[in-house]
């Protein structure tokens, strides 16, 4: 038996719903009634329990972050159940312990990285800051964000302060990043120039996320070279 590839291995819950939305895939009708994940009847509840979040006719109603935050796909299952050791049950038991965890640290760690953290308050004022800023909208659990960490770090170092290179964790602020940085997935790389213009980069494919590509994107749109 040769190499085996699972194309869904690193898909997030959000990736699944994005695919369903794009291709109009038939899904379980209980998603439209407020259930993000369907298990057995007695131990499965709506999330949140008031049913304010639903997925109806290929679009979300309510605060979709309730369903799409990291590991939130397990919310609503195993309600009231315990493992043999008395701990709260969150898995069916067929998974290796810890298999659901895909990250153990933040990316571009504070104090060690040239890529600085952008707070939401500063993001609100970014268009009026009067300085060219490259914004990386990311999620620490995202395989593709993890894969470009080193290249983005090298790029930030090469710019040597000529522009600001910042990160914004987007999985906890989904509506905000879409309106502010045109970010609908991770990673998204956006340039906010000194005049406040927001320019979304074309970095959808992993092979495009290189120091050379980031440098060209900035130079083409600002004239600033490394």
């Amino acid at each position: 038996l040769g190499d085996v590839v699972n194309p869904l291995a690193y898909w997030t819950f959000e990736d699944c719903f994005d695919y369903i939305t794009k291709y109009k895939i038939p899904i379980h009708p209980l998603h439209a009634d407020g259930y993000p994940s369907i298990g057995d009847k007695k131990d499965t509840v709506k999330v949140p329990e008031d049913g304010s979040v639903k997925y109806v006719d290929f679009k979300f109603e309510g605060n979709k972050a309730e369903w799409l935050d990291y590991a939130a796909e397990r919310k609503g299952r195993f309600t009231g159940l315990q493992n043999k050791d008395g701990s709260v049950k969150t898995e069916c038991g067929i998974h290796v312990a810890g298999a659901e965890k895909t990250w153990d640290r933040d990316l571009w760690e504070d104090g060690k990285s040239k890529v600085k953290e952008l707070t939401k308050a500063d993001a609100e004022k970014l268009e009026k800051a009067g300085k060219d800023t490259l914004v990386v909208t990311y999620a620490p659990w995202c395989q593709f964000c993890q894969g470009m960490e080193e290249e983005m770090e090298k790029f930030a170092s090469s710019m040597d302060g000529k522009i600001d290179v910042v990160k914004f964790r987007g999985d906890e602020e989904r509506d905000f990043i879409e309106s502010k940085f045109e970010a609908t997935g991770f990673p998204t790389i956006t340039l906010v120039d000194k005049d406040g213009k927001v320019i979304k980069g074309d970095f959808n494919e992993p092979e495009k996320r290189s120091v050379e590509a980031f440098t060209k994107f900035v130079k083409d749109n600002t004239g600033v070279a490394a």
Side-chain angles (χ1 to χ4, degrees):
L1 182 66
D3 294 337
V4 177
V5 176
N6 180 356
L8 306 184
Y10 286 97
W11 278 34
T12 65
F13 207 39
E14 183 173 15
D15 291 332
C16 294
F17 277 101
D18 285 346
Y19 190 87
I20 290 166
T21 300
K22 183 175 181 178
Y23 295 104
K24 302 296 186 288
I25 307 298
I27 57 173
H28 200 292
L30 284 179
H31 289 311
D33 198 31
Y35 293 88
S37 179
I38 294 91
D40 61 296
K41 184 176 180 180
K42 68 182 182 66
D43 302 312
T44 302
V45 298
K46 298 178 182 181
V47 177
E49 291 191 43
D50 63 4
S52 58
V53 180
K54 302 175 181 179
Y55 184 77
V56 183
D57 295 330
F58 303 106
K59 61 181 180 294
F60 278 100
E61 296 179 1
N63 180 15
K64 63 182 181 180
E66 293 274 4
W67 286 21
L68 302 181
D69 279 348
Y70 176 72
E73 64 269 20
R74 289 171 173 80
K75 286 183 178 178
R77 282 188 282 170
F78 314 111
T79 305
L81 298 182
Q82 292 183 333
N83 294 309
K84 291 182 179 179
D85 62 2
S87 59
V88 175
K89 188 174 182 66
T90 60
E91 280 290 354
C92 62
I94 65 172
H95 300 283
V96 176
E100 75 281 0
K101 189 171 181 59
T102 58
W103 64 288
D104 57 6
R105 64 173 179 83
D106 199 7
L107 303 181
W108 303 289
E109 295 178 87
D110 292 343
K112 299 179 181 179
S113 175
K114 296 288 187 181
V115 180
K116 303 304 180 184
E117 184 171 7
L118 181 70
T119 66
K120 187 175 182 179
D122 287 338
E124 294 276 15
K125 301 179 288 187
L126 198 57
E127 292 173 28
K128 298 180 180 179
K131 187 172 183 180
D132 298 319
T133 304
L134 189 81
V135 182
V136 182
T137 305
Y138 76 105
W141 42 262
C142 168
Q143 174 201 18
F144 303 107
C145 299
Q146 295 167 4
M148 62 169 269
E149 182 179 22
E150 184 177 350
E151 288 294 293
M152 184 56 69
E153 184 63 42
K154 290 178 181 177
F155 167 74
S157 296
S158 72
M159 294 309 296
D160 196 27
K162 294 176 183 177
I163 68 167
D164 287 340
V165 182
V166 300
K167 64 175 185 175
F168 188 87
R169 181 171 176 176
D171 57 322
E172 299 173 339
E173 297 283 356
R174 294 174 188 274
D175 291 335
F176 178 77
I177 62 172
E178 185 171 357
S179 64
K180 206 69 178 175
F181 305 127
E182 302 179 16
T184 56
F186 309 116
T188 295
I189 299 170
T190 309
L191 180 68
V192 181
D193 71 15
K194 60 186 178 181
D195 297 320
K197 183 179 179 181
V198 178
I199 308 163
K200 183 178 178 180
D202 178 16
F203 297 101
N204 291 330
E205 290 80 26
E207 56 270 19
K208 292 184 178 182
R209 301 171 194 145
S210 65
V211 174
E212 294 76 18
F214 302 147
T215 302
K216 184 178 186 303
F217 174 58
V218 169
K219 186 177 180 180
D220 287 351
N221 289 285
T222 68
V224 177

